[in-house]
Amino acid sequence: MDKDKKRRNLAKAAWFASVACSLALCVEDAFAADLKLGETIATKGTTNGAAACVSCHGLQGEGNAAAGFPRLAGLSSAYLSAQMAAFSTGERQSPTMQPFAKLLSLTERTAVAAYFSKMAVPAGIRTSDDTSITPAEPGPWLATRGRWDQGLPACVQCHGPGGIGVSPTFPPLAGQPANYISNQLQGWKKGARPPGPLALMPVIASKLTDADISAVAAYYAAPASGDAKRTGDMK
Ligand code: HEC
Ligand code: HEC
């Protein structure tokens, strides 16, 4: 892709994300998944050796900040399924997740994705952006303003206010562990994660320095500040 085309794609996707919800396109992808099967896999694992997902991702799917295990609760089932498919083929590299994803059939992956997508968004996470942000604060500034002279849109333009996520394509950043967010951005730089829709994230990650990555990851990992209200589920 040439540079202009990449830039146009970024702008297009940012526009799409900002209008998708208002056009009521934020619908849950409607395929029948076996939630009971999903619950069994999540809480007990599978007979062929996949560990119970909640042992790492938390009983409420909230993740584990200290260990860097991402939250799964309230992410779209389409996104979760696509990530597990990518782990199972090795396109998305993770020594921890690849073996589990390989042990699950497509039906099991679909069921467990649906199960976590229906879980409530954890309380206390960021759902809106801080109101007084200055260029001296690189994390919040990148998150809410971007760096348009480099063709870098603000994270909010695709990931929604406070990084709440815009379903089904743009996963939430709010409430993800800082080291998890950093690893994903570094993963795109290294090619350890597939490019995803329109190859948007590799372009964005390539424009972020290590310092930018730490700052923006810390912003989204931080709990909601006093003035931020919970607006509820982005499923
Ligand atoms: C031993 C701990 C562990 C267990 C058990 C585990 N995971 Fe994970 N999971 C991880 C880690 C670590 C990552 C982050 C991998 C990376 O950095 O890309 C992850 C990432 C994921 C992601 C990607 C999330 C995102 O936002 O892109 C999905 C989906 C996922 N796991 C689903 C599952 C499911 C379903 C199960 C149960 C079958 C499961 N995991 C069991 C540790 C675990
Ligand atoms: C033009 C749209 C767009 C913009 C702007 C954008 N993203 Fe993304 N982002 C995406 C898409 C699409 C995905 C899903 C990728 C996939 O499916 O593999 C994603 C996924 C992610 C993920 C992975 C989340 C997870 O659960 O694993 C992280 C981390 C991320 N983006 C961080 C950022 C940061 C930080 C910014 C701002 C500097 C940003 N993004 C700006 C489109 C965008």
Side-chain angles (χ1 to χ4, degrees):
M1 252 193 287
D2 64 49
K3 216 168 157 207
D4 275 0
K5 190 153 171 230
K6 273 184 194 157
R7 208 175 271 217
R8 277 198 307 277
N9 276 344
L10 287 176
K12 243 191 283 171
W15 173 83
F16 177 78
S18 65
V19 296
C21 276
S22 57
L23 292 175
L25 290 172
C26 287
V27 285
E28 186 112 5
D29 46 323
F31 54 84
D34 185 342
L35 286 178
K36 202 72 211 151
L37 173 64
E39 182 179 6
T40 305
I41 299 165
T43 56
K44 302 199 171 76
T46 60
T47 47
N48 65 347
C53 320
V54 299
S55 62
C56 290
H57 292 284
L59 273 177
Q60 309 300 323
E62 73 279 17
N64 180 319
F69 301 145
R71 94 152 144 115
L72 305 180
L75 274 66
S76 82
S77 53
Y79 172 79
L80 292 174
S81 292
Q83 298 313 308
M84 281 191 286
F87 286 129
S88 75
T89 59
E91 266 183 295
R92 180 166 170 182
Q93 294 163 24
S94 160
T96 318
M97 270 311 297
Q98 278 174 253
F100 299 136
K102 283 201 174 87
L103 287 169
L104 301 184
S105 67
L106 176 60
T107 307
E108 289 172 326
R109 294 202 304 259
T110 307
V112 76
Y115 176 75
F116 281 111
S117 77
K118 299 238 179 308
M119 282 185 148
V121 172
I125 64 171
R126 184 180 286 290
T127 54
S128 64
D129 290 292
D130 297 345
T131 41
S132 53
I133 291 169
T134 68
E137 303 165 283
W141 191 261
L142 271 172
T144 59
R145 312 293 164 91
R147 219 160 34 214
W148 281 99
D149 55 343
Q150 272 182 37
L152 179 61
C155 317
V156 297
Q157 285 176 289
C158 290
H159 290 280
I164 59 172
V166 180
S167 259
T169 308
F170 304 96
L173 304 178
Q176 292 295 16
N179 51 358
Y180 173 76
I181 295 177
S182 299
N183 284 341
Q184 301 316 302
L185 294 166
Q186 299 289 3
W188 273 304
K189 284 195 180 191
K190 293 190 299 233
R193 198 175 154 156
L198 292 175
L200 295 168
M201 281 310 299
V203 182
I204 288 173
S206 71
K207 294 178 180 181
L208 299 173
T209 64
D210 288 353
D212 291 337
I213 289 178
S214 310
V216 80
Y219 179 70
Y220 282 117
S225 54
D227 61 348
K229 282 195 212 70
R230 278 214 58 193
T231 52
D233 351 6
M234 279 297 306
K235 286 197 180 146

